[in-house]
Amino acid sequence: MPLWLELLIRIGGVVAAFLVLPLVVGQAEHKVMAHMQGRLGPMYAGGFHGWAQLIADGIKFVQKEDITPREADRAVFRLAPVVALVPYLLALLVIPLGPNDLVGQPLDIGLFFVLAVVGIGVVAVLMSAWASANKYSLLGGIRGAAQLLGYELPLVLAAASVAMAAGTLSLPGIVTAWEPWWLLWQAPAMIVFFVAGLAEIRRPPFDMPIADSELVFGYMTEYTGLRFAFFLLAEYVGIVVIAALTTVLFLGGWQGPFGDEYLGWLWTLIKVFLVSFVIIWFRVTYPRLREDQLQRLCWLVLVPVALGQLVLTVGVRLALD
């Protein structure tokens, strides 16, 4: 196969995943929350089980007027939703779906690359907050920056633990090195990574930057129409990325009870959707953390646990070697 054709197929597959998987997660969230909270609305659009709810939401966003505040920095204001989306697209490029090089672009430092680009999300938050010329947006942006910068540390430390255990920064290499007993000794790192990942994508109960009861809608207050929809799409792509990274790093990726060679992609997708379900479940179950609770959880709980896990990983590696 010509190199250009292979490259085109890989990029096309990643773009398709980028466009489809977040919509599937968004539709699932409508239904899961409807069942858990007894919501009737999402069950009516289109008839059977409200199958057209997501389509109705899309039409609603397209029809809404696109408004830019008079005092806003127009260029930065309009660019912020794009900056929020692009890092997740780049992250999906290097996350493996299955064995035999079934990945958009394999990198020997794939884990380092993913953590680096996901961290760009704080730039989009600050851009939208400052450019909106709105005090509530600015407060939400400051909260978001403090939260994202704080939770970067436990996220990276937890990922470093499993990378150290596998002896590689390659995401396919980590999956290949993974063993079922890692579920036990890397469990603290998995919990830290998952919780820090929720904070990184600002999902409840870590949604202080968009606390509607205090800040209207935080850094997204002034956004309407498709630009607001892009921010929501970025949130759902973030769910997919965090769920996929949790799957690849801690749950064995494409490894399953049988058929890894041909059904590896299926095992990966099943695990990704199960982790996404847990993320949605968290939104329904737990109330929003206060700012002091959020920072205390980061610095007094997650960081010490992640550091302790690193020490444990070093000890186990030395013992095995």
Side-chain angles (χ1 to χ4, degrees):
M1 180 184 298
L3 179 61
W4 66 268
L5 180 57
E6 180 181 354
L7 183 62
L8 189 63
I9 292 174
R10 288 177 182 272
I11 293 176
V14 171
V15 171
F18 176 77
L19 295 175
V20 173
L21 292 181
L23 297 182
V24 174
V25 171
Q27 180 76 346
E29 181 169 65
H30 278 105
K31 306 311 169 189
V32 170
M33 292 180 63
H35 283 293
M36 288 185 172
Q37 296 182 329
R39 297 185 178 190
L40 299 179
M43 293 300 180
Y44 281 91
F48 175 72
H49 211 67
W51 64 269
Q53 180 62 49
L54 203 63
I55 299 174
D57 287 341
I59 294 174
K60 175 187 69 176
F61 284 123
V62 170
Q63 290 179 333
K64 283 188 174 181
E65 184 179 1
D66 182 17
I67 299 174
T68 302
R70 183 183 298 111
E71 301 299 325
D73 186 327
R74 292 178 176 270
V76 178
F77 183 84
R78 293 172 177 174
L79 187 60
V82 178
V83 176
L85 272 172
V86 169
Y88 294 123
L89 174 60
L90 297 176
L92 288 175
L93 276 172
V94 300
I95 297 178
L97 181 60
N100 301 323
D101 212 20
L102 191 57
V103 58
Q105 179 58 53
L107 291 178
D108 291 336
I109 56 170
L111 179 58
F112 177 82
F113 176 81
V114 169
L115 294 177
V117 298
V118 168
I120 298 175
V122 67
V123 178
V125 172
L126 291 174
M127 288 173 63
S128 58
W130 180 260
S132 294
N134 180 302
K135 62 182 179 181
Y136 297 110
S137 298
L138 183 58
L139 286 172
I142 293 173
R143 285 183 179 183
Q147 176 174 318
L148 297 180
L149 292 175
Y151 278 85
E152 275 286 324
L153 182 57
L155 185 79
V156 171
L157 290 175
S161 174
V162 73
M164 188 182 299
T168 178
L169 288 173
S170 166
L171 293 177
I174 291 174
V175 177
T176 302
W178 184 88
E179 298 289 344
W181 67 279
W182 286 22
L183 289 171
L184 296 178
W185 77 294
Q186 290 294 323
M190 178 176 66
I191 295 171
V192 170
F193 184 88
F194 179 75
V195 174
L198 286 183
E200 284 292 306
I201 58 176
R202 302 167 295 284
R203 287 283 298 183
F206 303 99
D207 57 340
M208 280 296 291
I210 55 174
D212 51 332
S213 58
E214 305 163 32
L215 304 179
V216 188
F217 217 62
Y219 59 91
M220 292 190 286
T221 297
E222 298 293 350
Y223 284 89
T224 59
L226 285 178
R227 289 195 177 90
F228 181 75
F230 286 161
F231 271 116
L232 293 185
L233 179 61
E235 178 180 332
Y236 287 120
V237 182
I239 293 176
V240 173
V241 169
I242 294 300
L245 285 175
T246 304
T247 296
V248 168
L249 296 177
F250 300 101
L251 300 179
W254 62 74
Q255 297 192 41
F258 52 87
D260 295 353
E261 186 72 19
Y262 302 104
L263 297 178
W265 61 271
L266 181 60
W267 294 123
T268 300
L269 289 178
I270 289 174
K271 294 174 185 177
V272 167
F273 284 121
L274 286 176
V275 176
S276 299
F277 171 78
V278 175
I279 293 175
I280 296 169
W281 193 354
F282 268 50
R283 174 177 182 174
V284 178
T285 305
Y286 293 102
R288 180 183 300 127
L289 295 177
R290 296 195 315 264
E291 187 66 24
D292 61 317
Q293 294 172 329
L294 187 145
Q295 295 297 339
R296 189 179 298 116
L297 174 64
C298 174
W299 296 106
L300 299 183
V301 179
L302 297 186
V303 171
V305 171
L307 289 172
Q309 178 65 48
L310 274 178
V311 173
L312 174 63
T313 302
V314 171
V316 172
R317 286 287 298 179
L318 290 175
L320 292 177
D321 293 341

